[in-house]
Amino acid sequence: MRVGSLQHGLPLVLACWSSVPVSAKQIKIFAQNVGLLVDTRLDPVVNPETCSSHVHSVYGNAQFGATVEEDVFEDDDWRNTTGKFDQTTSELIPNLSSYWAPSLYIWDDASQKFYVVPSFSRPYYRIFVRSDNDQDRSSVNPHPKFLRIIAGKASRKTPWEPENIDRDDIRWTLTTFNRGKTNYREHGDWSYLRNNTDIADRGQVEMLLRFPDCLEVDGNGIPKTESKGFRSHAAYSSKNYDPSRRTYCPVSHPYQIPLLHLEIRYRIGDMRDRLGENVVNDVSNWRLSTNDASGAGAHADFISGWPRDMMENIIVNCTDGKSKDGSSDCVLEGLDLDGRVEKTVPFNNPVPQEKVHEVANLPTGKCPPIVVGCTDDPNF
């Protein structure tokens, strides 16, 4: 599953195929904003029916909870969006996927408290196709129902060593200011942001996660949607095309799906008004909810809630949210997905009854009652 394990690519050995390597072309098929649903100490993938060890910021499907069932990620009548606005914080209503990541806190020495940073997410979906025939997208498949994947290492609390490349493709950026100049090897934690004066001019810091885009299959060729740890059933594609199998995916994980680039945007600019520039701009005050002061413990969970026929249409017909050639019937055509909407919807599901937004100690340990109510109720 790790990036480093794929650096050597896949050998082209069949004589009946051209020996000239075919490079990969990455195409953005669309992006959308997915607003914050809740900050809470739940993780139904890793810790079902109880608390997680740390607080997550959750985006997407409004049925998120201590447990989740497959049917809440399905909507066969997805073309009809009437009365469904509140089913997700995604600006694209048929997307019933869930995404969650560790909350970011800022420590304020004056008040002796940690404050959670408001956030939202922006998932980008991209595909790898042949650079010499980018209209042929037949090797890319829609996400299987109820696909669950985790990227990153939540337990990590120390900066990454430069030589340690056998890890997931995750980096920290200052969004558009330096995103194009960063990579997971050199920018996989906060080391380069310490004493970086550019932070003072930015309203957001971004955790950017590139999820694996190849899945393992069973004996019948059916893609696997989970594995122990929710990692080993997924792997990263290579930039080397295997013409015998018509794919960029490794033999071990042959089922290619769209590549999810998940941007978690933490709005540090909002915190300056509350805590002051000196506090917020000092990276030594930042903590992931895992109590990680390095940023190397960045991670996220993804449960796919995409209607299969909708994603099939998007893969085949769409580029950047529009028809790929002006004549293909892209289902996203006419939708405004560039409005940068930070959508919110009512959330009334049970959550652990504990304060999470302004705390003297980062929430962890014993799980309080999981019931319906205000998580920041002063009585808890």
Side-chain angles (χ1 to χ4, degrees):
M1 179 173 176
R2 300 296 181 260
V3 177
S5 63
L6 301 177
Q7 300 302 312
H8 301 295
L10 301 174
L12 306 182
V13 296
L14 297 185
C16 58
W17 296 96
S18 170
S19 61
V20 178
V22 178
S23 61
K25 179 178 180 179
Q26 186 179 123
I27 296 176
K28 171 189 167 187
I29 50 178
F30 74 104
Q32 86 225 258
N33 272 14
V34 183
L36 178 69
L37 179 69
V38 65
D39 297 308
T40 187
R41 194 154 59 98
L42 290 178
D43 186 333
V45 167
V46 177
N47 304 107
E49 300 183 358
T50 188
C51 290
S52 170
S53 63
H54 54 277
V55 176
H56 291 101
S57 294
V58 183
Y59 318 91
N61 195 312
Q63 292 303 309
F64 181 88
T67 59
V68 289
E69 302 297 334
E70 183 173 352
D71 60 353
V72 305
F73 295 92
E74 299 178 4
D75 182 4
D76 293 335
D77 190 27
W78 60 269
R79 291 181 181 274
N80 176 17
T81 59
T82 302
K84 298 177 180 179
F85 183 87
D86 288 347
Q87 71 182 7
T88 176
T89 59
S90 171
E91 57 181 329
L92 189 57
I93 293 175
N95 177 16
L96 293 181
S97 301
S98 281
Y99 316 81
W100 62 95
S103 301
L104 175 64
Y105 284 84
I106 295 179
W107 170 256
D108 176 45
D109 197 56
S111 63
Q112 292 288 290
K113 288 183 179 180
F114 290 99
Y115 296 83
V116 76
V117 179
S119 64
F120 68 98
S121 68
R122 185 163 175 81
Y124 283 73
Y125 288 86
R126 307 174 188 271
I127 55 175
F128 277 119
V129 296
R130 292 172 57 118
S131 59
D132 61 347
N133 185 13
D134 60 10
Q135 295 301 303
D136 181 7
R137 305 177 178 189
S138 58
S139 63
V140 186
N141 304 282
H143 304 85
K145 288 184 178 180
F146 207 41
L147 172 65
R148 285 144 289 164
I149 303 178
I150 296 175
K153 189 174 183 179
S155 61
R156 184 87 183 189
K157 292 184 174 65
T158 56
W160 292 105
E161 303 82 7
E163 64 275 10
N164 188 341
I165 62 173
D166 189 21
R167 50 188 163 99
D168 288 329
D169 190 338
I170 301 174
R171 53 194 157 118
W172 288 91
T173 85
L174 298 177
T175 66
T176 55
F177 178 78
N178 69 345
R179 185 186 298 127
K181 301 176 182 178
T182 58
N183 60 74
Y184 82 98
R185 296 186 184 186
E186 300 173 279
H187 308 93
D189 55 51
W190 297 333
S191 298
Y192 86 101
L193 293 174
R194 297 184 185 278
N195 303 313
N196 188 328
T197 57
D198 293 325
I199 291 176
D201 299 322
R202 307 305 298 174
Q204 300 171 6
V205 64
E206 173 184 272
M207 180 198 298
L208 176 53
L209 308 101
R210 177 177 177 252
F211 276 72
D213 55 334
C214 299
L215 301 178
E216 190 178 7
V217 298
D218 65 18
N220 295 316
I222 305 300
K224 296 184 178 180
T225 59
E226 64 176 333
S227 59
K228 184 178 181 179
F230 298 92
R231 299 170 182 271
S232 62
H233 65 302
Y236 288 98
S237 60
S238 166
K239 291 184 178 180
N240 296 318
Y241 185 72
D242 185 344
S244 66
R245 297 184 302 112
R246 298 172 57 83
T247 184
Y248 288 95
C249 287
V251 174
S252 59
H253 295 72
Y255 190 91
Q256 185 178 351
I257 58 174
L259 174 66
L260 169 60
H261 278 191
L262 179 60
E263 298 176 356
I264 306 296
R265 306 279 193 88
Y266 300 101
R267 302 201 321 255
I268 57 175
D270 294 5
M271 301 305 291
R272 293 191 184 102
D273 295 335
R274 185 173 186 181
L275 302 178
E277 294 185 0
N278 291 339
V279 172
V280 175
N281 296 344
D282 186 349
V283 178
S284 67
N285 291 322
W286 296 5
R287 296 288 186 281
L288 289 180
S289 55
T290 55
N291 202 24
D292 171 27
S294 73
H299 64 280
D301 296 50
F302 167 58
I303 301 180
S304 177
W306 287 103
R308 181 180 179 87
D309 50 346
M310 181 183 191
M311 185 55 74
E312 284 180 338
N313 176 285
I314 294 172
I315 292 170
V316 173
N317 299 314
C318 303
T319 296
D320 203 6
K322 302 177 179 62
S323 173
K324 67 179 182 181
D325 53 15
S327 59
S328 297
D329 182 22
C330 172
V331 71
L332 302 177
E333 192 78 46
L335 298 179
D336 181 13
L337 298 180
D338 293 321
R340 300 296 195 268
V341 174
E342 290 187 41
K343 179 181 171 183
T344 60
V345 301
F347 179 74
N348 300 308
N349 281 6
V351 294
Q353 293 305 286
E354 61 187 351
K355 292 175 67 68
V356 299
H357 291 120
E358 181 181 329
V359 293
N361 298 289
L362 297 177
T364 190
K366 184 179 179 180
C367 188
I370 300 176
V371 296
V372 174
C374 177
T375 59
D376 271 0
D377 188 321
N379 293 319
F380 290 97

